[in-house]
Amino acid sequence: MLTEIINIGDELLIGQVINSNAAYLGQELNALGVKVFKMSSIQDSKDEILRAIEEGFLRADLLIMTGGLGPTKDDVTKKSIAELFGVGIRRDENVLQHVQEIFKKYNRPMLDINMQQADVPENAQILFNHWGTAPGMWFEYKGKYLVSLPGVPYEMMNIFQNDLKTQLLKVIPQNKIYHRIILTVGMGESFLAKTIEDIEDALPEYIKLAYLPKSGQVRLRLSCYQSNDAIEQEIEQIALQLTERLESVIVAQEDVTLPEAILNQLKAKGLSLSIAESCTGGFLSHQLTSIPGSSKVFKGSLVPYDNAIKEQVLGVNTQTLAQRGAVSEATVSEMLKGCLNLFQSDIAIAISGIAGPDGGTEEKPVGTVFIGISNHKRELIKRFTFTNLRQVNIERSATQALAMLFQEFLR
Amino acid sequence: MLTEIINIGDELLIGQVINSNAAYLGQELNALGVKVFKMSSIQDSKDEILRAIEEGFLRADLLIMTGGLGPTKDDVTKKSIAELFGVGIRRDENVLQHVQEIFKKYNRPMLDINMQQADVPENAQILFNHWGTAPGMWFEYKGKYLVSLPGVPYEMMNIFQNDLKTQLLKVIPQNKIYHRIILTVGMGESFLAKTIEDIEDALPEYIKLAYLPKSGQVRLRLSCYQSNDAIEQEIEQIALQLTERLESVIVAQEDVTLPEAILNQLKAKGLSLSIAESCTGGFLSHQLTSIPGSSKVFKGSLVPYDNAIKEQVLGVNTQTLAQRGAVSEATVSEMLKGCLNLFQSDIAIAISGIAGPDGGTEEKPVGTVFIGISNHKRELIKRFTFTNLRQVNIERSATQALAMLFQEFLR
């Protein structure tokens, strides 16, 4: 099933918004065995939308559009689609009721343009949007399919995971897809590839191996898009080979993120965690607390951004700060002790570094980060040198802290 | 000058990589007054590349391609371009020397495929890549322009900032683009539209108004793509009208994020900030500390995820927690006092809520969040009901906290 993704919105074309919707849909469709051969970002105008649909249907069996469904005047998608199909507009009663409920719940006045959120082309099948006012829509057209989704990422994702996925599975040719994921951390993509070269070379043609890298983690995915029981067993055998070869860097045998893998391990071992994070400024705590149920193992964290807080709340010595600096092994060691003490947790992580762009010195350039972990009995502190970029340094530090925790304390 | 951006790479189509190159180019071209009307991500195959160039030149004056220039077999861009122009391939001596130097520097053996990095279509003008081995290329074709850049983001960006920008400025018609941004928070897109309907209706055709919503904020953007001094004045007049009409929800008159606007205000007023954030789990701190220079006003934060931490570190009363619950006005009030005390800051934010998916009750459903702000003299606490979705509740809470801080304490 050849598919094209069309993202509507001037904010994409002027680079104000990075197109995460396209990547999300690409990933999800790929997992369903649907081949995306093109993604386009286009203007929010009737001409461009109609042109994109017509050009898309020259080759694609399925077009998925996002965006252009808001209530304001620059949103013309629904009118364009109705014109394309030569149909009128109807007001959907279920959607209208849902929109009214949302406005009632938040006690907001409902305007005529809000009512129009319930207007759809007559031939639209509704993909219900429980999370917002603009419904998703499904159209069949000469044996092909057109889908229109709102551009707000979480609304789009939730509609995809609920109604749309079910609908797609009805029309996707019924091949059985089998994916097997192994999550690794701490080994680069090319070095991984070299390490498992012989296993990869020996793969039969119907089993694909993909390397999916993301901020210090590499997800290995074995896939077959026309699978059966025998092939599944074969894939599991190969996964076993990979696992033996890569044991030291494997974090999970399922499709979870690194923070999820960590929380699962902590929960399984009955251990609690706390964090004192300075240069990462709350990002590591955010990664963990984004996961439902994290409160079962995560006791809390402190962001001691000001050095005075490191002293007063964590008990770091004034002398240590003055002589060794806030970014030092000595300070991180005292932060660890203070963190364990403050939060009364089984394990503590402490991070102090120079995120940049300013604050670097010859001895400690921007990107220098000390990461420490302690479980009361054993303390491990490592020095890293990441990049010149603030965002990258924050993300890498968080990933490294979790990798250290997993590899040195949870395995 | 109508422009299309074409990003080549299967990793984009399977969603492995989010297309930040397109956003970067969109932003830079927009600033140069070049109008990007389409962005496409396509497969790394000769057919697709040739098709994209031919289709693109039907409307575009300038095509900028990224990717497909590596040494491995799946990179066919250069051959496709040479075929399109009916020219041969030449080996560029300057590029070859540069590639040889790179391999020498890293002490790596140089293979024949590495030499091929210096091969370019005969009619290519080189855009020198000081940061990698694949050169950028500039082509002129029937009064139009084709640019090919490597896909590695920092190589692409550096070539853009150095050779390509200079080259573009030589051929861009001297239209002037003018954007004027007003950042609002706390009023929905449709209500905003209603409030300024008459102003929008009265806009001349050459001035566009866009609504750019993002997690509780709406950016209003007035734009003209063929601007001059008179039109700029006209746009500023309209911005003034909008400002008077929307005064209570405007946070900034420039293209900044809400956290940046807050930090700027705090800095200007010489005020320091600290945060006690429970259900947002570090996200608000992360938003603020992502911004360089935030350490000048942000003293730190506590994530008291476990109720025991609320008691022991912030001094929230055991009785308050037992009788009113962690998610209550009373608890947030005590968190505020504890936060001001712990961090010795001028202003404190405290947040406690039920992010979900579990933990809701009839009285306090998932999405119930109490947000408080105190500046020692005055304390303001509001109750919100957001959604059923954990991520959304976290983001909305953070945005609302910043909005309250701005509107009630910093204006």
Side-chain angles (χ1 to χ4, degrees):
Chain A
M1 179 168 247
L2 276 184
T3 297
E4 183 173 336
I5 295 169
I6 299 169
N7 305 104
I8 301 166
D10 295 333
E11 70 278 16
L12 295 168
L13 298 172
I14 64 164
Q16 182 165 358
V17 169
I18 294 180
N19 195 347
S20 61
N21 281 351
Y24 177 84
L25 288 170
Q27 216 167 48
E28 291 292 323
L29 291 167
N30 183 258
L32 293 178
V34 173
K35 188 174 177 92
V36 176
F37 72 97
K38 192 174 180 183
M39 297 169 166
S40 308
S41 301
I42 62 166
Q43 290 175 306
D44 200 347
S45 81
K46 196 167 89 178
D47 285 355
E48 292 300 319
I49 294 170
L50 288 178
R51 186 198 300 268
I53 296 175
E54 279 160 13
E55 280 182 9
F57 272 142
L58 292 179
R59 291 196 286 161
D61 308 301
L62 168 66
L63 292 181
I64 299 187
M65 303 197 297
T66 69
L69 295 178
T72 52
K73 288 173 194 173
D74 53 349
D75 291 316
V76 293
T77 307
K78 290 190 290 195
K79 278 180 204 147
S80 305
I81 294 174
E83 187 178 312
L84 175 79
F85 292 138
V87 301
I89 296 274
R90 67 180 171 86
R91 184 156 291 187
D92 188 281
E93 285 307 316
N94 287 331
V95 175
L96 183 64
Q97 201 187 331
H98 168 65
V99 175
Q100 283 168 333
E101 277 164 14
I102 288 183
F103 275 79
K104 205 172 153 193
K105 182 173 167 193
Y106 296 111
N107 224 343
R108 291 210 208 117
M110 185 145 168
L111 310 169
D112 191 51
I113 50 168
N114 301 122
M115 306 274 231
Q116 287 167 22
Q117 293 286 74
D119 292 351
V120 296
E122 280 167 353
N123 60 337
Q125 180 180 334
I126 301 292
L127 303 168
F128 208 80
N129 182 357
H130 298 274
W131 308 268
T133 54
M137 295 174 287
W138 171 277
F139 302 92
E140 301 200 12
Y141 180 59
K142 297 181 186 167
K144 299 188 167 194
Y145 307 98
L146 173 68
V147 177
S148 167
L149 299 172
V152 179
Y154 75 86
E155 296 181 16
M156 184 276 296
M157 290 179 199
N158 277 293
I159 295 176
F160 187 94
Q161 291 302 335
N162 287 268
D163 284 19
L164 181 53
K165 206 166 177 176
T166 315
Q167 191 65 32
L168 282 172
L169 286 170
K170 287 184 200 157
V171 302
I172 293 170
Q174 277 313 303
N175 294 333
K176 201 171 165 201
I177 299 157
Y178 193 72
H179 292 303
R180 176 65 158 81
I181 303 246
I182 295 174
L183 178 62
T184 72
V185 66
M187 189 186 276
E189 187 183 352
S190 44
F191 200 74
L192 263 179
K194 192 78 191 161
T195 309
I196 58 175
E197 195 176 20
D198 56 322
I199 301 175
E200 188 171 6
D201 284 346
L203 287 180
E205 211 188 321
Y206 50 87
I207 298 178
K208 305 287 178 202
L209 174 64
Y211 297 80
L212 310 169
K214 200 176 176 186
S215 61
Q217 306 158 51
V218 180
R219 212 169 292 273
L220 295 175
R221 193 184 64 200
L222 291 161
S223 303
C224 177
Y225 289 95
Q226 289 186 291
S227 189
N228 57 41
D229 288 353
I231 294 178
E232 283 182 23
Q233 279 185 16
E234 200 179 347
I235 289 179
E236 287 302 328
Q237 271 303 319
I238 298 163
L240 205 63
Q241 280 182 280
L242 292 173
T243 302
E244 282 166 9
R245 184 74 56 87
L246 297 172
E247 210 212 331
S248 66
V249 294
I250 290 178
V251 182
Q253 293 279 354
E254 52 187 331
D255 195 7
V256 292
T257 62
L258 178 55
E260 280 174 305
I262 296 278
L263 288 174
N264 291 344
Q265 279 292 323
L266 288 170
K267 216 174 290 177
K269 292 184 155 61
L271 295 170
S272 63
L273 177 69
S274 67
I275 301 172
E277 51 174 330
S278 187
C279 67
T280 46
F283 180 67
L284 180 53
S285 305
H286 165 58
Q287 283 202 304
L288 292 167
T289 57
S290 289
I291 299 161
S294 48
S295 58
K296 292 197 175 61
V297 298
F298 182 63
K299 298 196 92 172
S301 68
L302 181 80
V303 178
Y305 226 51
D306 188 336
N307 279 348
I309 307 302
K310 294 187 181 75
E311 293 179 44
Q312 290 152 24
V313 184
L314 287 179
V316 174
N317 273 306
T318 314
Q319 277 212 327
T320 310
L321 287 169
Q323 287 167 11
R324 310 293 197 83
V327 179
S328 66
E329 189 172 334
T331 295
V332 166
S333 175
E334 294 180 20
M335 284 169 70
L336 281 174
K337 290 177 188 79
C339 190
L340 286 171
N341 189 43
L342 187 71
F343 292 99
Q344 298 286 311
S345 64
D346 299 314
I347 298 181
I349 298 174
I351 305 175
S352 185
I354 301 156
D358 302 321
T361 62
E362 187 128 338
E363 195 207 341
K364 293 174 190 168
V366 167
T368 303
V369 181
F370 287 85
I371 300 176
I373 299 176
S374 171
N375 66 353
H376 295 276
K377 288 177 215 139
R378 184 162 69 97
E379 183 181 285
L380 176 72
I381 299 174
K382 287 189 187 175
R383 177 186 177 143
F384 296 88
T385 308
F386 298 117
T387 72
N388 290 320
L389 300 167
R390 187 175 183 88
Q391 277 325 313
V392 177
N393 292 334
I394 291 171
E395 284 176 27
R396 292 267 175 91
S397 301
T399 298
Q400 272 303 337
L402 294 179
M404 270 173 68
L405 173 56
F406 187 88
Q407 283 159 358
E408 304 280 349
F409 290 83
L410 295 180
R411 209 177 2 220
Chain B
M1 180 170 246
L2 277 183
T3 297
E4 184 173 336
I5 294 169
I6 299 169
N7 305 104
I8 301 165
D10 295 333
E11 70 279 13
L12 296 169
L13 298 171
I14 65 166
Q16 184 175 333
V17 168
I18 295 181
N19 195 348
S20 62
N21 282 350
Y24 176 83
L25 288 170
Q27 218 166 48
E28 291 292 324
L29 292 167
N30 185 259
L32 294 178
V34 173
K35 188 174 176 98
V36 176
F37 72 98
K38 192 174 180 183
M39 296 169 166
S40 308
S41 301
I42 61 167
Q43 290 174 307
D44 201 347
S45 81
K46 196 167 90 179
D47 284 355
E48 292 300 320
I49 293 170
L50 288 177
R51 186 198 301 265
I53 296 175
E54 278 161 13
E55 279 182 10
F57 272 142
L58 292 179
R59 291 197 287 160
D61 308 301
L62 168 66
L63 292 181
I64 300 187
M65 303 197 297
T66 69
L69 295 177
T72 51
K73 285 172 203 166
D74 54 350
D75 290 317
V76 293
T77 307
K78 290 191 291 194
K79 277 179 205 148
S80 305
I81 294 175
E83 188 179 311
L84 175 80
F85 292 138
V87 302
I89 297 275
R90 67 179 171 87
R91 184 157 291 186
D92 188 282
E93 285 307 317
N94 286 331
V95 174
L96 183 64
Q97 201 188 331
H98 169 66
V99 174
Q100 283 168 333
E101 277 165 14
I102 288 182
F103 275 79
K104 208 171 149 190
K105 184 175 166 192
Y106 293 108
N107 224 345
R108 288 207 215 124
M110 186 148 167
L111 310 169
D112 191 51
I113 51 165
N114 301 124
M115 304 276 232
Q116 287 167 22
Q117 292 286 73
D119 294 350
V120 296
E122 280 169 351
N123 59 337
Q125 179 181 334
I126 300 294
L127 302 169
F128 207 81
N129 182 358
H130 297 274
W131 308 268
T133 55
M137 294 173 287
W138 171 276
F139 302 91
E140 300 200 13
Y141 179 60
K142 297 181 186 168
K144 299 188 167 194
Y145 306 99
L146 173 67
V147 177
S148 167
L149 299 172
V152 179
Y154 74 86
E155 296 181 17
M156 184 278 295
M157 288 178 199
N158 277 295
I159 295 176
F160 187 94
Q161 290 302 336
N162 287 266
D163 285 19
L164 181 53
K165 205 166 177 175
T166 315
Q167 190 65 32
L168 283 172
L169 285 170
K170 286 182 201 161
V171 302
I172 294 170
Q174 287 309 306
N175 286 342
K176 219 174 146 189
I177 285 204
Y178 193 72
H179 290 305
R180 176 65 157 83
I181 303 246
I182 295 174
L183 178 63
T184 72
V185 66
M187 189 185 276
E189 187 183 351
S190 43
F191 202 74
L192 263 179
K194 189 76 190 167
T195 309
I196 59 176
E197 194 176 21
D198 55 322
I199 301 175
E200 188 172 5
D201 284 345
L203 287 180
E205 210 188 323
Y206 49 88
I207 298 178
K208 306 285 178 205
L209 175 64
Y211 297 79
L212 309 168
K214 199 177 178 185
S215 61
Q217 306 157 50
V218 180
R219 213 168 291 273
L220 295 175
R221 194 189 62 208
L222 292 161
S223 303
C224 177
Y225 287 93
Q226 289 187 294
S227 190
N228 56 41
D229 288 353
I231 294 177
E232 284 182 24
Q233 278 184 19
E234 199 180 348
I235 289 179
E236 287 302 327
Q237 272 303 318
I238 298 164
L240 204 64
Q241 280 181 278
L242 293 173
T243 302
E244 281 166 10
R245 183 75 56 87
L246 298 172
E247 209 212 331
S248 65
V249 294
I250 290 178
V251 181
Q253 294 279 355
E254 52 186 332
D255 196 6
V256 293
T257 62
L258 178 56
E260 280 174 306
I262 296 280
L263 288 174
N264 291 344
Q265 279 293 324
L266 288 170
K267 217 174 287 177
K269 292 184 154 61
L271 296 170
S272 63
L273 177 70
S274 67
I275 302 172
E277 50 175 330
S278 189
C279 67
T280 45
F283 180 68
L284 181 53
S285 306
H286 166 57
Q287 283 202 305
L288 292 167
T289 56
S290 289
I291 299 162
S294 48
S295 58
K296 291 196 176 63
V297 298
F298 182 62
K299 298 196 94 173
S301 68
L302 181 80
V303 178
Y305 227 49
D306 187 336
N307 279 347
I309 306 302
K310 293 186 182 75
E311 294 179 46
Q312 291 153 24
V313 183
L314 287 178
V316 175
N317 273 307
T318 315
Q319 278 213 326
T320 309
L321 287 169
Q323 287 167 10
R324 310 292 198 84
V327 179
S328 66
E329 189 173 333
T331 293
V332 166
S333 175
E334 293 179 20
M335 284 170 71
L336 281 174
K337 290 177 187 79
C339 190
L340 286 171
N341 189 42
L342 188 70
F343 292 99
Q344 298 286 310
S345 65
D346 299 313
I347 298 180
I349 298 174
I351 305 175
S352 185
I354 302 155
D358 302 320
T361 63
E362 186 127 341
E363 194 206 344
K364 292 174 190 169
V366 167
T368 303
V369 180
F370 288 85
I371 299 175
I373 298 177
S374 170
N375 66 353
H376 294 276
K377 288 177 216 141
R378 184 163 71 96
E379 185 180 284
L380 176 72
I381 299 174
K382 287 188 187 176
R383 177 187 176 142
F384 296 88
T385 310
F386 298 116
T387 72
N388 290 320
L389 299 166
R390 187 176 183 87
Q391 279 323 313
V392 177
N393 292 335
I394 291 172
E395 284 177 27
R396 290 271 173 89
S397 301
T399 299
Q400 272 304 337
L402 294 179
M404 271 173 68
L405 173 57
F406 188 88
Q407 284 159 359
E408 305 280 349
F409 289 83
L410 295 180
R411 214 186 345 230

